[in-house]
Amino acid sequence: MGFKLGSEEVVVNGPKVAFKVFGLNVTETVILSWVVMAVIIGLVLFMTHNMSKDNPSKKQVVAEWIVETVNGMVRDSMGSKNLVYAPYMATIFSFSIFGSLISVLGLRPVTGDFSTTLAWALITFFMIQYAKIKNDGILGYFVGFSKPIALLTPINIISELATPVSMSIRHFGNVASGIVITQLLYFALTGLSHAVGLSVFPVFTIGIPAVLSVYFDLFTGFMQAFIFTMLTMANVGAAYPEEEQH
Amino acid sequence: MEKAIVLAASAIGAGLAAIAGIGPGIGEGFAVGKACEAIGRQPESSGAVTRTMFIGCAVAESTGIYGLVIALILLFANPFLGKL
């Protein structure tokens, strides 16, 4: 979809369809996700290659620091019994960061597609349900919806279903608004260059979009990855009974 | 003609959807102000306060993001044009 702005047409596209497999669209997002996954797996293999106990290399120290930080975050917000969730949180965090940061290279961020964030939010949703059923039993799980009084059952069910919706829309909305605003600013600056007679060389498009890019790509990318992970931890952790403090 | 009316109304609707930004703006300002107060009182807990504040801000932000999504749908994936 697009609309006219002077002689230029402002176009803000969804992800392009690269090719089709059995009628399923394989979009830009899917291919870039594969690239991001390959980069993350490569990085992880590189950092954990040739580890040694006595004489740790620099990359091993970085890898250990990352693992310690994620473990600490999970321990703080979910309790030390739930450390089993730490790898998933680190995965979501790194995937989200790399998925958002590829926009620095001029690619379309993976997280700017609702399918990506919805998939992550659905994983979180089923994780919450699994944790609840595991702790309360299948009967206690369904009874739990009618607490504190039976009248609130529909509201409890809606609020349960709203969790994945709000999580996915929050992440997608932040990244997608960045894409749209950067695009609009780019076209506006091109138009400005035309207006002052510099149509051959749009001088205003140099530098100025980079300022916005720092906010929308770097800050929003890190912030949303952090928030998505923290909310996943908080929501899944809330399904577990409180741990006694020692 | 009909199309023009639908497009104009959608544009106005998208603009109105941006009003949803007021609530999160006030709410987040409040949260950040309180967080600053808390850090001023207890500077040693600034890490935990900042982390909690960001999560609170993110939750407060979601209503504004809903407005944004509605505006984006009206502008770029208008469902009403197909019904003409």
Side-chain angles (χ1 to χ4, degrees):
Chain A
M1 279 296 288
F3 47 89
K4 290 260 181 189
L5 184 90
S7 57
E8 302 274 323
E9 199 182 1
V10 181
V11 185
V12 180
N13 281 318
K16 294 181 208 67
V17 178
F19 56 89
K20 288 193 173 202
V21 179
F22 305 121
L24 290 172
N25 289 340
V26 176
T27 57
E28 218 179 339
T29 310
V30 178
I31 292 172
L32 287 175
S33 306
W34 291 337
V35 173
V36 169
M37 284 177 210
V39 167
I40 293 175
I41 291 173
L43 213 62
V44 167
L45 287 179
F46 168 72
M47 287 196 343
T48 56
H49 185 64
N50 272 342
M51 290 207 289
S52 89
K53 216 170 180 177
D54 312 315
N55 174 19
S57 56
K58 274 180 198 161
K59 57 184 188 186
Q60 188 185 341
V61 174
V62 174
E64 282 175 1
W65 176 79
I66 292 172
V67 172
E68 292 273 313
T69 313
V70 173
N71 279 352
M73 272 162 72
V74 173
R75 208 177 287 122
D76 282 348
S77 50
M78 297 174 75
S80 49
K81 274 187 298 183
N82 295 324
L83 264 187
V84 67
Y85 286 105
Y88 172 70
M89 303 303 167
T91 310
I92 281 282
F93 191 70
S94 52
F95 197 174
S96 175
I97 279 199
F98 280 89
S100 301
L101 283 188
I102 54 169
S103 59
V104 175
L105 305 174
L107 299 165
R108 193 191 161 80
V110 171
T111 46
D113 189 336
F114 189 51
S115 321
T116 314
T117 54
L118 183 66
W120 295 346
L122 282 179
I123 298 174
T124 302
F125 174 72
F126 286 113
M127 216 172 233
I128 298 169
Q129 307 312 316
Y130 167 77
K132 278 188 177 168
I133 292 175
K134 195 175 141 199
N135 281 299
D136 305 342
I138 189 83
L139 200 71
Y141 169 72
F142 286 112
V143 172
F145 281 112
S146 58
K147 276 173 186 163
I149 50 171
L151 196 68
L152 288 177
T153 309
I155 296 181
N156 281 336
I157 292 173
I158 290 171
S159 75
E160 197 68 32
L161 292 177
T163 312
V165 174
S166 76
M167 276 176 79
S168 54
I169 287 185
R170 180 179 305 121
H171 200 333
F172 159 74
N174 271 288
V175 179
S177 67
I179 300 176
V180 173
I181 291 172
T182 314
Q183 205 104 0
L184 288 179
L185 181 87
Y186 197 77
F187 277 97
L189 289 172
T190 314
L192 190 65
S193 310
H194 278 276
V196 297
L198 288 165
S199 44
V200 190
F201 183 57
V203 70
F204 290 110
T205 54
I206 305 167
I208 300 175
V211 181
L212 266 194
S213 166
V214 169
Y215 176 78
F216 281 119
D217 295 337
L218 297 178
F219 180 73
T220 311
F222 275 103
M223 211 59 241
Q224 290 306 315
F226 177 70
I227 285 166
F228 196 93
T229 320
M230 285 305 280
L231 282 177
T232 303
M233 283 196 261
N235 281 326
V236 179
Y240 284 91
E242 281 288 314
E243 206 175 332
E244 283 136 51
Q245 298 291 324
H246 297 294
Chain B
M1 186 62 198
E2 270 182 338
K3 197 185 173 196
I5 293 173
V6 168
L7 282 177
S10 305
I12 294 171
L16 288 179
I19 295 176
I22 295 175
I26 296 172
E28 283 179 27
F30 219 77
V32 176
K34 289 283 179 193
C36 288
E37 272 178 30
I39 293 175
R41 213 175 296 135
Q42 275 180 303
E44 66 276 8
S45 66
S46 67
V49 170
T50 315
R51 222 181 309 139
T52 318
M53 180 199 77
F54 273 128
I55 294 171
C57 281
V59 174
E61 200 181 43
S62 37
T63 48
I65 297 287
Y66 298 156
L68 166 85
V69 169
I70 289 169
L72 285 181
I73 289 173
L74 283 176
L75 285 179
F76 298 114
N78 199 316
F80 304 117
L81 281 178
K83 289 187 179 162
L84 286 177

